[in-house]
Amino acid sequence: MILPIYTYGQPVLRKVAKDIPNDYPDLEQFINDMYDTLDSSSGIGLAAPQVGQSIRVVVIDLDILKEDLPEYEGYRHAFINPHIIEIDHKSEKITMEEGCLSIPGINEKVPRYSRIHVTYLDENLLPHDEWVESYLARVMQHEFDHLEGEMFVDKVSPLRKQLIRNKLRDIMRGRYSASYRTKPARK
């Protein structure tokens, strides 16, 4: 089932999401719904708060990028109770343009470190503790930020934030265009 994506201004996007127990009801169906929602919006990542649930679940599908990044062909994974344990501050900090399904129409350059240490459970509830690098590390940081109540616009320079202030206000008021189903903060 395709779920509506909550947009900037929705309170759930600013809450710290909670870890869930292994027997969380209908988890498999929820993850499938998140994948359906991600597919219908042509995104590469989606966190549970973006569909109104303040729980620590993320889906990432990088297969869509396989022509430019062939190493991610077939990469489609769910992350349950993910946490960034450590950021390798000695790794390269790369600035790239990011967008977000919850902030339609806005893309900004965001600096992120290229290597992080994460823990999570996979779809089979098997634990993982690993260092992640490169583009996947960027996507994980973006999505896992949602679980901490943070969004990419929080990481742009104060000047850029000032310049996009009116666009963010319009999104909060439901004045935006998106090719996917959304749930604005207010209309």
Side-chain angles (χ1 to χ4, degrees):
M1 174 173 58
I2 296 171
L3 306 168
I5 294 176
Y6 284 52
T7 58
Y8 187 85
Q10 284 279 7
V12 69
L13 295 173
R14 293 304 190 172
K15 292 181 181 174
V16 176
K18 303 280 187 218
D19 279 345
I20 60 171
N22 289 353
D23 62 350
Y24 188 82
D26 302 317
L27 178 60
E28 184 178 347
Q29 183 59 52
F30 180 66
I31 289 171
N32 287 334
D33 291 347
M34 286 184 67
Y35 278 130
D36 289 346
T37 303
L38 184 64
D39 293 343
S40 75
S41 63
S42 298
I44 60 172
L46 187 65
Q50 292 180 273
V51 292
Q53 299 297 315
S54 190
I55 58 175
R56 297 189 79 87
V57 177
V58 166
V59 295
I60 294 176
D61 185 348
L62 297 181
D63 187 65
I64 195 170
L65 304 173
K66 66 185 170 201
E67 285 189 26
D68 294 325
L69 300 169
E71 64 270 29
Y72 294 120
E73 183 171 358
Y75 189 92
R76 183 174 171 98
H77 293 284
F79 301 86
I80 300 159
N81 297 336
H83 292 273
I84 296 175
I85 302 302
E86 182 181 356
I87 294 175
D88 181 354
H89 292 284
K90 293 179 183 173
S91 69
E92 186 178 4
K93 196 171 193 181
I94 300 171
T95 299
M96 290 179 67
E97 192 169 275
E98 290 186 17
C100 180
L101 296 172
S102 292
I103 309 176
I106 296 179
N107 294 294
E108 291 292 327
K109 291 183 177 185
V110 178
R112 296 203 189 262
Y113 286 98
S114 61
R115 188 168 184 260
I116 59 173
H117 180 197
V118 297
T119 61
Y120 62 91
L121 301 175
D122 64 22
E123 294 99 321
N124 298 314
L125 302 176
L126 296 174
H128 294 261
D129 182 330
E130 57 195 42
W131 283 93
V132 179
E133 299 180 352
S134 191
Y135 192 72
L136 179 57
R138 168 175 290 278
V139 175
M140 283 182 165
Q141 287 172 79
H142 177 108
E143 297 306 330
F144 295 3
D145 278 354
H146 280 296
L147 305 177
E148 302 301 329
E150 299 173 7
M151 302 180 85
F152 83 92
V153 293
D154 301 334
K155 298 186 181 308
V156 301
S157 71
L159 174 61
R160 288 301 309 159
K161 184 91 177 221
Q162 186 66 23
L163 292 172
I164 62 173
R165 185 184 62 187
N166 289 338
K167 289 181 182 180
L168 291 172
R169 191 176 303 131
D170 284 346
I171 292 171
M172 288 177 64
R173 293 179 177 156
R175 289 186 254 164
Y176 58 86
S177 177
S179 61
Y180 46 87
R181 192 171 156 216
T182 63
K183 184 172 176 80
R186 57 179 188 229
K187 283 194 171 189

